[in-house]
Amino acid sequence: VLLGGQHTSNVTGTWLLLHLLMAPEWLKKVMDEQKAIMGDNWDDFATYDQVAEMKVLQQCLDETLRLHPPFFQLARRVQEDV
């Protein structure tokens, strides 16, 4: 389970970044949202509450997961009835 979680998070993050880099208008929206929520406090990591406020980032993440669902779900299939 731990290995699956690391792989799926890594793959999803990579796809998210790729899509944001290919769509500069959405990258700007995400960055502007982060600046509005975090202010000038870029030296620290975002808190859970701050990330929960990032609706545009969540929309981008949801779309990434729709386009590229985690591969571990796709790799499994029923081999025989039990």
Side-chain angles (χ1 to χ4, degrees):
V1 173
L2 178 61
L3 182 64
Q6 289 174 342
H7 279 303
T8 55
S9 298
N10 186 12
V11 170
T12 300
T14 301
W15 277 118
L16 174 63
L17 183 58
L18 176 71
H19 285 296
L20 287 174
L21 290 173
M22 292 174 53
E25 68 278 6
W26 282 99
L27 178 58
K28 182 174 178 356
K29 289 178 185 183
V30 168
M31 295 303 293
D32 290 345
E33 177 182 58
Q34 288 182 15
K35 288 176 188 173
I37 291 171
M38 295 181 67
D40 294 328
N41 197 12
W42 285 90
D43 293 335
D44 293 331
F45 289 105
T47 65
Y48 178 84
D49 292 333
Q50 288 172 325
V51 173
E53 291 180 49
M54 298 179 187
K55 303 303 180 195
V56 176
L57 180 62
Q58 183 64 47
Q59 291 171 344
C60 292
L61 182 57
D62 289 345
E63 183 64 7
T64 299
L65 288 169
R66 185 187 70 81
L67 293 171
H68 309 282
F71 66 89
F72 77 92
Q73 292 178 346
L74 300 176
R76 295 181 181 178
R77 63 187 174 121
V78 175
Q79 296 289 328
E80 61 185 63
D81 289 338
V82 177

